[in-house]
Structures are given as C-alpha cells and as structure tokens.
Amino acid sequence: MKRNIVIATVAAAALIGGGTATAIAVAGDDEAPAKKTVTVANDDNDRDDAQDTDDTARDRAEDKAEDKAENAADAKAAQITAADAIEAALKHTSGTAVSADLDDEGTTYVWDVDVLTGGGVWHSVQIDPATGKVLGSHTEKDDDGDDAAETAQIRDALKGSSVTAAEAAEAAASKGTVTSVDLDEESRDKAWEVDTTAANGTGSDWRVALDTGKVTADRTND
C-alpha cells in the first residue's frame, strides 16, 4: 500500500514539472526499498515554444510587409529623381552636395539636400519631389561643435573624387528608385552610399565608387 502511495505521489510531481522521476517504494518494514522509475511527458513547454516561434515568424513577416509598403510609398513620391533634386538645390545654393534624402514629413514628402559651400557653411535645401521646385532652405547650426572637423573629413574624402552625388544617384538608378544618397567619409574605402527601392518595395543598399562610379552591393550591414 505504501509503495503505491509513494509512486503515485512521485508520478504526480513529475506530471506537474514534466520529465523523469525515480520513486522509492517501500512495501513493508522488513523489505528492502525498491526503486521504480516513472516517466511523465509534459508537452506544454513544447507547445509554448512552438507558439513563440510562430509568433516571432509572423511578426517578422508583418514588419517586412510594412517596410515594403513604406518603401513603395517613398518610391512613388519621388517623381523628381535624386539627381534632379540635387541639381535644383545646387542652382539655389552653390557648393558641393553631400547628401540627398527623401524625407517623409508626415503628410508630405520632401527632398532634403545638404550643400557644403566653399566657405564651409552648411545649407539644407528642401525640394518638392513632385515639381522640383525649391520649397525653402536654411543654414545648419553647429549645435554640437563638430562641424569643422566633419567638414574637414568630408573635404578630404572628396579630394580627387570625380563622381558627384548627382552622378552617384544616376549610376545607382538602374537598380531601382533612388531614395537616399549620402557620403561615407569614415570608412577606409570611402564611397557614396545609395538606397534604392524596387517596384515591389524591396529596398537595397549600394556603394558607388568616388573615382570610377562603379556600383556594388553594400555589405557593411550584413
């Protein structure tokens, strides 16, 4: 009787926690204790793990779909190409275009082109992506006090360069709609970084060589 009680108790414990338990059954005062292994499978944890995996996969798929939808909306808004937006900005403010980004301003889109003048002053010029008209411009303030160092680094990176930001945008346009052009002046192999969006909303990153204009896939974030 005692043996059955012990086994039943251990089995119940194993059922709660899942796994294998060894019970020592005692039949009487004169008998040696006997061991009996009770194995109880608990599938709850396995089911929870599977559910978590399914949820994670679903979340990733939803995020990917949202990213594609946003990218497609950006590409559709860029009726004026990045190269044309840069040229429009340079006609308004003479200097060197260092970046051009298609920004979502909430309900509207705008090309934001950063221009570095010969005197070392930074200007941000906004271009209408539907018409190519200049919507406004302003001088960038050196809030963190590092503009001088950044300017020197950019000028050094562009020294001897034969490919402008507009030309980099044109070179990468064969890969999709260009939504961003930025100078990577910090890496060893300095280049123009260009973001494109395909017709289905798939975004891609490219590097355009400063000297040859050669376009290669950007693997820096892989």
Side-chain angles (χ1 to χ4, degrees):
M1 184 66 172
K2 292 180 180 179
R3 178 176 60 202
N4 294 337
I5 293 174
V6 172
I7 293 174
T9 302
V10 174
L15 180 60
I16 294 173
T20 302
T22 301
I24 300 176
V26 181
D29 294 338
D30 298 332
E31 296 184 15
K35 293 183 179 180
K36 185 171 184 179
T37 300
V38 180
T39 302
V40 180
N42 189 344
D43 294 333
D44 288 344
N45 290 336
D46 292 339
R47 284 195 294 268
D48 290 342
D49 290 343
Q51 183 63 47
D52 290 342
T53 301
D54 290 343
D55 290 343
T56 300
R58 188 181 304 110
D59 290 342
R60 289 178 178 173
E62 290 176 353
D63 290 342
K64 189 174 182 179
E66 290 178 0
D67 289 342
K68 281 191 172 184
E70 291 177 1
N71 290 339
D74 291 348
K76 186 177 181 180
Q79 299 178 43
I80 297 300
T81 67
D84 289 340
I86 291 170
E87 294 299 336
L90 291 176
K91 286 180 180 179
H92 180 273
T93 303
S94 298
T96 301
V98 178
S99 69
D101 296 285
L102 184 62
D103 293 334
D104 181 358
E105 300 293 342
T107 58
T108 59
Y109 285 86
V110 61
W111 278 111
D112 191 355
V113 183
D114 285 337
V115 178
L116 176 61
T117 67
V121 179
W122 286 90
H123 290 266
S124 177
V125 185
Q126 291 75 47
I127 306 296
D128 188 332
T131 65
K133 293 182 178 179
V134 176
L135 299 175
S137 67
H138 63 271
T139 302
E140 299 279 358
K141 293 182 180 180
D142 188 6
D143 294 329
D144 50 16
D146 64 352
D147 272 12
E150 182 180 359
T151 298
Q153 190 175 25
I154 288 173
R155 290 197 187 283
D156 183 65
L158 292 175
K159 190 180 299 182
S161 170
S162 58
V163 179
T164 67
E167 290 170 339
E170 290 178 340
S174 61
K175 307 296 184 180
T177 300
V178 176
T179 57
S180 175
V181 181
D182 290 284
L183 177 65
D184 175 15
E185 74 279 5
E186 296 181 349
S187 64
R188 184 176 61 181
D189 55 334
K190 300 172 179 58
W192 292 106
E193 294 181 325
V194 184
D195 295 341
T196 63
T197 298
N200 64 355
T202 300
S204 300
D205 301 329
W206 309 93
R207 294 179 70 82
V208 181
L210 296 177
D211 53 353
T212 64
K214 181 179 179 181
V215 181
T216 57
D218 188 352
R219 303 298 184 189
T220 56
N221 295 322
D222 291 353

